[in-house]
Amino acid sequence: MDLIEDLRATLGAAQVHDRAIDRHARAHDASHYLLVPQVAATAEDAEAVARALGVAARHATPVTFRSGGTSLSGQASGSGLLLDTRRGFRGIEVLDDGARVRVQPGATVRAVNARLAPFRRALGPDPASEAACTVGGVIANNSSGMAAGTEHNSYRTLESLTVVLASGTVVDTAAPDAADRLREQEPDLVQTLERLRDEVRADPVTVAEIRERFALKNTMGYSLDTFCDFTDPLDLLVHLLVGSEGTLGFVAEAVFRTVPVEPHAATGLLVLDSVERAAAALPALVATGAAALELMDATSLRVARRDPGAPPAVQGFAIDQHAALLIEYRAGTQEALDERVAAAAEVLATLPAVVPPDLTRVPADRAALWAVRKGLYATVAGARPPGTTALLEDVVVPVERLADTCRELGELLATHGYVDPVIFGHAKDGNLHFMVTEDVGDPADPASTRRLAEFTEDLVELVLRHGGNLKAEHGTGRAMAPFIERQYSSGLVAVLREVKRAFDPAGILNPGVVLTDDPRAHLTDLKPVDRVDEEVDRCVECGYCEPVCPSRDLTLTPRQRIVVRRARARAAAEGDEALVAELDEQYRYDGVDTCAADGMCATACPVRIDTGALVKRLRREDRGRAGQRAWRTAARHWDAATTVAGTALDVVSRLPAPVVQAPNRAARAVAGADAVPLWSPDLPRGGHRRSGHDGGRGTAGVPAAVFLPSCQGAMFAAAASDDGGAHDGGAQASFARLCVEAGVGLAVPDGLDGLCCGTPWSSKGYADGHAVMSDRVLTAVDAARTAAREQAGTDVPVVVDASSCTEGVARIMADAREAGDPRAADVVDATSFVVTHVLPRLRIDDARRIESIALHPTCSSTKAGGAGDLHTLARAVARTVHVPVDWACCGFAGDRGMLHPELTASATAAEAAEVGRLGALVHASSNRACEIAMTRATGRTYRHVLEVVAQVAL
């Protein structure tokens, strides 16, 4: 039995992923290394991990544990078995009113902190990648971050672990009999740990070396300070696993002691004329008690300024050699914060600031400043020259040596010819990150690799000469493994190697990471970056997009869609036609058909890449003339198309389900799942013509807006209300009735029933049909606006009553505006319009307010910044408003949820489970398709929030 057969027999065939697309998609992480695994597998629990390790041992196959893939030093990539431990390990349990939290390794730091937020607690580690990095990676790398320093990292805040050792032994260190069981099951390991502990402590010189190294942030090698800090073998086990980068065992669960969140904070940006000047100011600033001091050099500021949403603090001055320090003060009370800020002001006034910091307490302004810093690596890397790789290094020196180190590092970068290097980092801890770009993945250009080798040698000498550590928080990885012997004495290197042998005698856990015998290991397996698609070429493979992707647990994430395209391009360049053909065949479903193309990836991407735009283009290129012609015709006769669709749903809703399902499935088998929607009994009956409902001819009074109701209401009937009846017209009628009650007039375009937001065409790739519909919408809306303007004496916006359709109409108008078309108009979602123009005029009887409501914000409203208005409406009519922590795009994406219902089922699973626990009485959203998706997922009836408001207020 070979490896793959053994894995299938042991884990189950569904958990083994040996297709080319699986291996290449999972191979890439955020680092500049690339090793394509022989096979990937998914483990759902600790026992499955243990069984997988047994298979790997039988076949002498190396194993790499893979979770968030945000690591930058190559520790999440391996050539043997890549064990995906993210999908099955996402459990979070808050303990002791937030004082502790039990977490599984696949949960992101952001997800954990969201559950701790009501208790005003948080995890101690606070890495910049908190939205995407997982707890498993944070433990494996002993990540710290902005304010954690060495006091609140994983090493200091972990209470217990459940770990799977290389032998397959599962150890829960919190179990009452854990110590006895560990001695019984792993006697050699325990004896070695106790011996090493005693030998280290017996040598004062060794202890002094360890204390000196770990007085600073230090993730080079293993946590050797464990032998000085702890005595019990269980404590030794736990703390050696921290920072071990998957080379000593797998952490299946962890219990952390959390840290209090100081709710009051003031944040500002101090701009000085150089990095050296900023570094020189640090000792005085550290003495003020600043919770965070984040350094950003001139290149960082230039890149940050390119973002249209960049805060004013990074603008308004000419950037030369400037540097900035992002400063934050925190306190438990407003009075305490006032005192800290006042004391700091005296110090800040003495500094030679180019721009003094405006310490703001406004949450939105503070968030904007932090967004600049947290997205800095990916943003800067995204601005790199096309086809090059971003290499980020992470070092630390004593704070008093930081100014000299910065100056010499700048000189060193210039000496080696690196253009526009970027320097930033956690200055309070003397922790510097700096990034250069190289074309190191091209074997035809050895000069780049040679330059990297020479620079790295000089860097190592520079950092060690200043009493620093070669890695502070990103882990040793492959990048610094060859230099372990340069940082530590031979005695400590021997201890490191004994630790590895004790935990992993066969050497199967992540070989080449942390320890290596190859002095050039840091120069091998470097990642090529091929230019493939203009829409996504800036991608740095950071993985920030993955947690928000609807298909992340079904097929591919945005990062994986991009890297598979790169793998295909590389295969084509190398003449591997078989691999190209295999990837093309598998990409159709995994990469194209199951992409919701919702654009949520762009909201999480620091460089705003919308992978959906790539997928839409690929769909467009795949469309034949017949399909383009059919959808162009549909655009010209959309009234008839929606009527047919609604009538069909009406008819089938009256038939026995088997009568409909058999021919429906047969049609999908013949025409393809991406062409024929799958009907199910939970779909609503058909809707009605928009022109025949409330608001279909406008409302009386001077128009305040042009109302363009969504055609979703024409295709799908409104959801049943709490009393079992349906509100005629759904969101359309509710919006109109609310406007009538508030005395707000509405105008409606002529030919309303034939208009659409254009999303069905743009999403499916039918460009000609989209152009036809866009022109129809522009013409009809312009005529209505002209008439309304004559009555109102001023211009009026277009209002749409479904958030995804609001986005579609806004895109039509944006394209028109860019083309100089005078018909372009402003577009507002109906929820936002009601909040601004209607809600202030309504008198809501408190006795009629509902007890609780659960909201599903849509991807469109979130992207447009309208989720807050959804919440405002809910608060107006409900006493308790729930927004699930596990909220995510539902993946219905117009009709994608009917073409591929497995996409919606996967995308909504976590949120649906949480909704079930919330027990809200009413459930609402702001888009009919999303309401259908969430109703299907949860078994609760979701309605448009405007229907709920109308029910309570009218």
Side-chain angles (χ1 to χ4, degrees):
M1 187 182 296
D2 67 13
L3 170 67
I4 295 175
E5 291 174 341
D6 201 352
L7 283 170
R8 286 177 177 150
T10 303
L11 299 178
Q15 307 303 319
V16 181
H17 317 289
D18 61 331
R19 300 180 304 160
I21 197 168
D22 297 324
R23 297 185 298 105
H24 284 275
R26 289 170 167 83
H28 292 245
D29 69 352
S31 77
H32 54 280
Y33 295 96
L34 177 61
L35 293 90
V36 179
Q38 181 181 348
V39 61
T42 303
E44 300 288 339
D45 54 34
E47 294 300 330
V49 173
R51 294 196 302 272
L53 291 177
V55 174
R58 286 196 291 273
H59 296 273
T61 299
V63 180
T64 299
F65 302 114
R66 176 62 179 271
S67 191
T70 59
S71 299
L72 294 163
S73 300
Q75 54 270 71
S77 188
S79 59
L81 167 60
L82 191 68
L83 199 57
D84 185 337
T85 57
R86 177 171 53 175
R87 296 187 182 184
F89 289 90
R90 293 183 184 157
I92 303 169
E93 181 185 3
V94 177
L95 307 171
D96 302 334
D97 292 329
R100 298 184 303 140
V101 63
R102 189 188 312 278
V103 191
Q104 291 185 326
T108 65
V109 171
R110 175 173 289 181
V112 178
N113 284 340
R115 282 162 178 77
L116 289 169
F119 305 94
R120 292 192 173 181
R121 307 288 294 187
L123 289 176
D126 61 336
S129 56
E130 48 90 25
C133 70
T134 58
V135 171
V138 167
I139 296 171
N141 294 320
N142 195 19
S143 304
S144 44
M146 311 292 179
T150 57
E151 182 182 359
H152 296 306
N153 58 18
S154 295
Y155 183 89
R156 297 296 179 192
T157 58
L158 262 176
E159 181 175 283
S160 66
L161 294 177
T162 297
V163 59
V164 185
L165 298 175
S167 62
T169 298
V170 179
V171 182
D172 177 1
T173 65
D177 61 345
D180 293 337
R181 294 186 62 186
L182 182 62
R183 285 188 184 278
E184 178 184 342
Q185 296 173 312
E186 300 287 340
D188 292 342
L189 173 60
V190 172
Q191 290 172 14
T192 300
L193 294 182
E194 291 179 326
R195 176 176 57 81
L196 291 174
R197 174 200 64 198
D198 295 342
E199 290 176 356
V200 166
R201 291 182 176 185
D203 184 354
V205 175
T206 298
V207 171
E209 181 182 353
I210 290 174
R211 292 302 188 196
E212 179 183 6
R213 285 294 168 201
F214 288 90
L216 305 174
K217 287 184 176 182
N218 185 12
T219 57
M220 277 291 280
Y222 300 125
S223 300
L224 293 176
D225 47 343
T226 297
F227 293 117
C228 300
D229 295 339
F230 300 97
T231 300
D232 186 272
L234 283 176
D235 289 328
L236 297 175
L237 178 82
V238 167
H239 292 88
L240 282 169
L241 281 162
V242 175
S244 62
E245 304 177 45
T247 66
L248 302 183
F250 169 70
V251 175
E253 190 172 83
V255 175
F256 283 87
R257 295 180 297 276
T258 63
V259 299
V261 172
E262 296 180 296
H264 301 280
T267 312
L269 199 70
L270 168 65
V271 181
L272 299 115
D273 61 12
S274 67
V275 168
E276 293 84 357
R277 187 88 68 171
L282 284 173
L285 291 171
V286 169
T288 66
L293 290 166
E294 295 294 306
L295 174 69
M296 292 176 280
D297 75 346
T299 304
S300 305
L301 294 172
R302 290 189 189 98
V303 172
R305 191 177 282 185
R306 296 174 192 168
D307 187 342
V314 301
Q315 305 187 42
F317 59 94
I319 301 175
D320 184 16
Q321 299 299 314
H322 295 75
L325 288 168
L326 179 63
I327 305 173
E328 181 160 285
Y329 295 93
R330 301 173 187 168
T333 66
Q334 194 67 52
E335 294 74 16
L337 181 63
D338 290 341
E339 292 177 6
R340 290 186 182 179
V341 170
E346 298 178 10
V347 174
L348 292 169
T350 66
L351 299 177
V354 174
V355 180
D358 178 13
L359 292 171
T360 178
R361 306 184 190 197
V362 178
D365 295 341
R366 291 183 51 248
L369 287 169
W370 276 112
V372 170
R373 171 59 189 91
K374 289 186 176 184
L376 193 55
Y377 160 68
T379 304
V380 172
R384 73 196 187 284
T388 61
T389 299
L391 292 86
L392 185 73
E393 280 301 341
D394 157 52
V395 301
V396 63
V397 296
V399 172
E400 62 272 17
R401 305 302 300 273
L402 190 61
D404 290 340
T405 303
C406 286
R407 183 186 66 257
E408 293 179 38
L409 176 59
E411 294 169 355
L412 189 62
L413 289 163
T415 298
H416 287 278
Y418 286 113
V419 179
D420 291 332
V422 182
I423 300 175
F424 58 99
H426 314 307
K428 181 167 67 77
D429 303 309
N431 181 192
L432 284 178
H433 304 323
F434 61 94
M435 195 192 77
V436 298
T437 56
E438 266 295 14
D439 191 9
V440 293
D442 185 358
D445 183 17
S448 294
T449 303
R450 184 167 57 251
R451 176 167 66 163
L452 175 62
E454 294 170 352
F455 168 75
T456 305
E457 287 289 335
D458 289 345
L459 171 68
V460 168
E461 188 277 331
L462 168 64
V463 173
L464 295 180
R465 176 164 45 83
H466 282 290
N469 294 320
L470 300 176
K471 281 291 183 179
E473 60 179 6
H474 292 170
T476 312
R478 301 178 186 280
M480 280 293 165
F483 300 97
I484 286 283
E485 295 182 2
R486 296 274 287 278
Q487 176 163 310
Y488 293 113
S489 66
S490 59
L492 285 184
V493 172
V495 172
L496 290 171
R497 293 191 178 277
E498 282 207 65
V499 168
K500 172 65 173 175
R501 282 194 297 270
F503 277 89
D504 182 24
I508 63 170
L509 297 183
N510 226 4
V513 171
V514 179
L515 297 172
T516 182
D517 294 322
D518 181 1
R520 292 183 58 82
H522 61 301
L523 304 173
T524 59
D525 300 310
L526 296 172
K527 181 193 297 181
V529 179
D530 298 283
R531 300 181 64 179
V532 290
D533 298 292
E534 183 179 354
E535 299 94 334
V536 298
D537 275 343
R538 291 176 299 143
C539 175
V540 295
E541 304 176 14
C542 65
Y544 285 24
C545 57
E546 294 190 331
V548 302
C549 177
S551 60
R552 65 190 179 280
D553 292 335
L554 178 68
T555 50
L556 300 180
T557 67
R559 168 168 63 178
Q560 291 172 339
R561 286 183 168 90
I562 293 169
V563 302
V564 170
R565 295 282 293 173
R566 288 174 172 170
R568 182 196 185 280
R570 175 61 53 170
E574 294 174 351
D576 191 342
E577 296 180 3
L579 178 56
V580 170
E582 186 177 0
L583 291 175
D584 284 347
E585 178 186 1
Q586 294 160 358
Y587 198 80
R588 179 176 296 278
Y589 174 78
D590 287 38
V592 178
D593 292 351
T594 53
C595 177
D598 60 351
M600 281 299 290
C601 46
T603 67
C605 175
V607 290
R608 305 291 189 269
I609 292 174
D610 180 0
T611 309
L614 165 65
V615 170
K616 290 177 182 179
R617 175 172 63 78
L618 296 177
R619 289 173 182 167
R620 186 167 63 248
E621 292 173 353
D622 194 46
R623 303 307 182 195
R625 292 184 179 180
Q628 291 282 7
R629 185 164 52 251
W631 277 85
R632 188 167 56 246
T633 300
R636 294 186 176 122
H637 304 283
W638 194 237
D639 182 2
T642 56
T643 299
V644 169
T647 301
L649 283 171
D650 260 346
V651 170
V652 299
S653 68
R654 298 185 179 95
L655 298 174
V659 173
V660 180
Q661 290 169 329
N664 178 229
R665 289 182 178 132
R668 282 169 62 86
V670 173
D674 209 50
V676 179
L678 179 67
W679 180 84
S680 59
D682 57 8
L683 286 175
R685 60 178 175 80
H688 300 284
R689 291 168 61 87
R690 287 168 281 175
S691 59
H693 281 283
D694 289 350
R697 299 178 188 84
T699 62
V702 175
V706 172
F707 182 29
L708 181 57
S710 165
C711 60
Q712 290 185 42
M715 293 186 182
F716 303 114
S721 64
D722 297 332
D723 59 10
H727 291 294
D728 290 339
Q732 175 185 336
S734 296
F735 176 65
R737 287 160 50 210
L738 287 167
C739 287
V740 168
E741 179 70 15
V744 175
L746 299 173
V748 174
D750 291 336
L752 174 64
D753 295 310
L755 301 180
C756 177
C757 67
T759 299
W761 291 269
S762 64
S763 177
K764 292 176 179 294
Y766 292 110
D768 293 348
H770 186 265
V772 169
M773 181 55 72
S774 295
D775 186 67
R776 296 188 67 187
V777 168
L778 286 166
T779 299
V781 167
D782 185 58
R785 282 177 61 225
T786 300
R789 188 164 50 239
E790 291 176 356
Q791 288 183 264
T794 185
D795 201 4
V796 298
V798 180
V799 176
V800 187
D801 62 351
S803 54
S804 67
C805 302
T806 303
E807 181 182 10
V809 176
R811 172 46 53 196
I812 289 175
M813 296 301 173
D815 290 344
R817 189 172 287 111
E818 186 176 343
D821 191 326
R823 297 176 295 176
D826 293 332
V827 182
V828 180
D829 189 75
T831 55
S832 299
F833 186 85
V834 168
V835 167
T836 303
H837 297 278
V838 176
L839 193 59
R841 305 184 184 189
L842 295 179
R843 295 178 61 86
I844 298 176
D845 185 352
D846 187 66
R848 298 188 61 185
R849 295 175 75 203
I850 56 182
E851 285 300 320
S852 58
I853 186 170
L855 297 179
H856 172 76
T858 71
C859 51
S860 296
S861 63
T862 299
K863 288 187 292 181
D869 291 326
L870 178 69
H871 201 275
T872 297
L873 288 176
R875 286 201 311 271
V877 297
R879 292 183 174 86
T880 302
V881 179
H882 301 285
V883 177
V885 172
D886 283 324
W887 168 83
C889 171
C890 69
F892 205 82
D895 64 353
R896 190 83 11 202
M898 293 185 290
L899 296 171
H900 298 286
E902 68 275 16
L903 172 61
T904 293
S906 177
T908 56
E911 182 179 359
E914 185 177 353
V915 167
R917 295 190 296 269
L918 290 174
L921 297 179
V922 176
H923 301 77
S925 188
S926 59
N927 195 72
R928 187 69 186 104
C930 301
E931 295 157 26
I932 294 170
M934 291 307 300
T935 297
R936 173 183 289 176
T938 64
R940 274 80 169 173
T941 298
Y942 276 74
R943 300 157 57 203
H944 199 291
V945 69
L946 294 180
E947 297 177 45
V948 180
V949 173
Q951 178 184 339
V952 173
L954 303 182

